[in-house]
Amino acid sequence: MLFFFIQLFGADFITFKEYSKMLYENPRGISCKKCHGNDGGEQILGYYTKQGVKTPYIIPSIQNVGFERFKNSLLQYKDSKTIMPNYSLTDNEILALYNYIQQFNKGKK
């Protein structure tokens, strides 16, 4: 009988880890993953040429960023010259994202 109820109602729930991953991959239509990669590590987003020199546009790692800095970067106003989008995330969503990224940092300490 218990197995029946788990099958009936259990599929409607996701774990905190699943929720965090889902939020990282699509928080408000613009994926964190697109620029920060699967694990929040340093990524090369693309290249630009300045004075004839091809230079990579590097997105820095967010794995080692402290929570307050992480939160502030998500909450600060961004103008049209900033590549980081505004997400309008709640405090709980920011905490979930931070915890998701920190899981990748555990093996590097």
Side-chain angles (χ1 to χ4, degrees):
M1 188 75 159
L2 178 63
F3 181 72
F4 172 74
F5 284 109
I6 290 172
Q7 290 297 319
L8 183 62
F9 298 109
D12 292 341
F13 298 101
I14 62 173
T15 66
F16 182 74
K17 186 175 180 179
E18 290 170 327
Y19 170 73
S20 300
K21 180 180 181 189
M22 181 180 67
L23 193 59
Y24 183 76
E25 291 180 353
N26 192 13
R28 298 287 189 267
I30 304 170
S31 173
C32 305
K33 184 177 168 178
K34 291 281 187 188
C35 296
H36 294 284
N38 290 331
D39 63 359
E42 182 177 280
Q43 304 289 324
I44 295 175
L45 186 60
Y47 294 87
Y48 64 94
T49 302
K50 184 174 183 179
Q51 298 177 343
V53 178
K54 184 178 176 181
T55 306
Y57 189 89
I58 298 174
I59 303 296
S61 173
I62 54 175
Q63 292 177 347
N64 298 318
V65 174
F67 178 71
E68 286 304 315
R69 182 170 169 214
F70 181 82
K71 182 178 178 180
N72 289 339
S73 72
L74 288 169
L75 294 177
Q76 74 185 12
Y77 172 76
K78 303 191 181 69
D79 61 20
S80 61
K81 295 178 183 177
T82 304
I83 193 167
M84 178 76 179
N86 287 312
Y87 286 112
S88 301
L89 299 168
T90 67
D91 287 344
N92 287 335
E93 289 171 326
I94 292 170
L95 184 59
L97 282 170
Y98 183 77
N99 287 328
Y100 178 74
I101 293 163
Q102 289 308 299
Q103 75 178 336
F104 299 109
N105 193 25
K106 289 186 186 337
K108 296 178 181 180
K109 289 182 179 177

